[in-house]
Amino acid sequence: MSSVFFYARKDAKKNWKMFVFVIMAIAISTANIIIINGFMDGLTDGFLEKTMDTSSGHINIYPNEQDKYIEGLGIKEKKLDGLDGVVAYSPRITAGGTLHYKEKFKTIKILALDPSKENEVTILLSKIDSGKTLAANDRDGILISYRLADDLKVKIGDEATIVFENGKIRVFKIRGILHTGLAMDTNTIIINFEDASEQLNLFNKASIILVKLQDGTLSGQYKNKISGELGIQKIKEWEQEIESVLSSFKTFRDISNFMNAIGLFTGAVSVGIVLYINILHRRRQIGILKAIGMKDSQVLFVYILQAVFLGIIGILIGDALGYAGTKYLEAHPFPDPTLGSLGPRFHLSLIYDASLVTMLIIILAAAIPALMASRTNIIKAIWGE
């Protein structure tokens, strides 16, 4: 075995210039996997965090299938207050309407909430680009999404008119401009829960109740418990709420895997071609080695070992480049007008996964030329045929 290691090392030294290019191809492929997967993790984790921070509780309570609203809100809130493990809850009303400013108007989604309760469940009201957030006792102010503000050319302090879906009209003052990085940035305005109840004649009703638990991992147990206590069947855990988001990101993950596969293919082809060329140039030496007693398995192992050497060096360099690139982009994310910023997230699993996959591909790529070397005919090789 020591002779195998010796020959593999000596042969690698003789061809170090050629092997440098292979090592760089492997390094770039490995770094590419780490950075792209880091971006996908950053995009997915960031979007899920924003969804949980602004649009969902650990458990979300909806009206039963035959109802448009949750009836008897006050009684249901008292029952939630009596449940151990329920930290906070926030009822919301969602409705449609139009927002008018001077000669312009836009169709809007109205989101009504109680600021004091909402702040205990989500951080939605802190997502302010400019101006100030909605106070608990503010019955005349609204928050407006930044895209809506751009479309209507409104500013903080301007007065705008809301026409509710039932035809009622009321003038509000714009307190702040909202930027969540989610779909609600398109055309959402936020008003006080009591205002919406009054304008829409929805006293003691809600469209949804977001519930925050002391331990979010117990949402499955509390789902059944809350359903029994409140007499409501349509209750979703936070994991169910983000299913659609996860399915959307699966497509992006497939695209990134395809890009990674291209990089791996490039590295694998480089390894295979270089080893193949090296074997063609060393056919006579291989024949001589076999003539003096080297077995086919030993010849095979020589070239597999060379591929492993190349892989280890290239992967270590790629890991370093991938780590440095991911950490840099994590600290300097790309600005995005919708999501706020786009940057990767670094986890050690990125390095482990990239290193393992790259090494397996390299060994597979080396297998064919290594088998060719091991099956070389002694006489033909020595005579150069």
Side-chain angles (χ1 to χ4, degrees), residues 57-349:
H58 293 128
I59 290 176
N60 296 334
I61 304 170
Y62 292 90
N64 288 325
E65 294 296 338
Q66 69 276 14
D67 300 324
K68 187 176 180 181
Y69 298 101
I70 299 170
E71 305 283 347
L73 177 62
I75 294 174
K76 289 177 172 55
E77 288 183 318
K78 287 182 180 179
K79 289 183 177 180
L80 288 172
D81 284 329
L83 287 175
D84 291 335
V86 173
V87 176
Y89 55 84
S90 176
R92 291 178 171 184
I93 292 175
T94 56
T98 56
L99 184 67
H100 296 251
Y101 178 71
K102 295 182 179 178
E103 294 82 20
K104 298 180 180 180
F105 71 93
K106 294 284 290 186
T107 301
I108 58 171
K109 178 182 178 181
I110 299 169
L111 177 60
L113 44 81
D114 182 330
S116 58
K117 293 178 180 177
E118 185 71 24
N119 288 334
E120 294 182 1
V121 179
T122 75
I123 59 172
L124 173 60
L125 296 178
S126 68
K127 300 290 185 176
I128 302 296
D129 248 3
S130 59
K132 61 181 182 180
T133 192
L134 195 64
N137 59 351
D138 189 351
R139 298 290 300 273
D140 299 315
I142 61 171
L143 302 180
I144 180 172
S145 64
Y146 80 98
R147 287 188 180 178
L148 198 55
D150 288 342
D151 290 341
L152 295 177
K153 307 301 180 186
V154 298
K155 303 183 297 296
I156 304 300
D158 287 344
E159 291 187 343
T161 302
I162 294 179
V163 179
F164 292 85
E165 61 184 30
N166 62 354
K168 286 192 175 182
I169 301 173
R170 188 173 168 199
V171 176
F172 290 88
K173 184 168 286 190
I174 297 171
R175 307 293 189 200
I177 295 176
L178 201 68
H179 191 159
T180 65
L182 299 171
M184 67 171 62
D185 287 337
T186 305
N187 63 341
T188 302
I189 65 109
I190 296 178
I191 68 173
N192 193 288
F193 189 87
E194 296 300 325
D195 275 325
S197 298
E198 183 180 325
Q199 297 298 321
L200 296 167
N201 296 318
L202 295 176
F203 297 103
N204 207 27
K205 297 179 182 180
S207 301
I208 183 175
I209 304 174
L210 310 186
V211 179
K212 183 178 181 180
L213 302 176
Q214 190 171 4
D215 186 353
T217 61
L218 300 178
S219 57
Q221 299 177 24
Y222 276 89
K223 175 182 175 180
N224 298 326
K225 190 174 183 180
I226 291 173
S227 178
E229 286 286 336
L230 273 59
I232 294 179
Q233 288 75 49
K234 193 174 180 182
I235 298 178
K236 292 185 179 182
E237 301 171 55
W238 65 271
E239 290 173 321
Q240 293 173 294
E241 294 286 27
I242 62 175
E243 274 183 41
S244 59
V245 178
L246 292 175
S247 63
S248 297
F249 278 107
K250 184 180 181 299
T251 303
F252 292 105
R253 179 69 70 178
D254 291 340
I255 294 172
S256 72
N257 289 338
F258 177 74
M259 296 172 66
N260 289 335
I262 294 174
L264 284 172
F265 179 76
T266 302
V269 168
S270 299
V271 171
I273 290 175
V274 168
L275 288 180
Y276 176 72
I277 294 173
N278 190 40
I279 288 167
L280 291 180
H281 291 168
R282 297 284 186 273
R283 288 191 73 215
R284 181 168 293 179
Q285 292 182 21
I286 293 170
I288 294 171
L289 289 171
K290 294 182 77 171
I292 62 176
M294 184 174 278
K295 298 178 181 178
D296 289 354
S297 59
Q298 290 177 308
V299 174
L300 173 70
F301 193 68
V302 164
Y303 290 98
I304 292 292
L305 193 60
Q306 281 188 357
V308 171
F309 286 158
L310 296 174
I312 290 173
I313 297 170
I315 287 170
L316 288 175
I317 295 172
D319 287 344
L321 292 174
Y323 173 79
T326 304
K327 295 301 287 185
Y328 176 81
L329 292 172
E330 194 174 10
H332 304 86
F334 295 105
D336 182 82
T338 301
L339 299 176
S341 62
L342 293 174
R345 298 278 181 93
F346 178 79
H347 308 285
L348 281 176
S349 59

Side-chain angles (χ1 to χ4, degrees), residues 354-365:
S355 301
L356 178 61
V357 170
T358 304
M359 181 57 76
L360 289 175
I361 295 296
I362 289 169
I363 292 173
L364 289 174

Side-chain angles (χ1 to χ4, degrees), residues 17 30 39 52 56 83 103 131 246 357:
K17 291 182 180 179
T30 306
F39 259 109
M52 289 300 299
S56 179
L83 287 175
E103 294 82 20
L246 292 175
V357 170

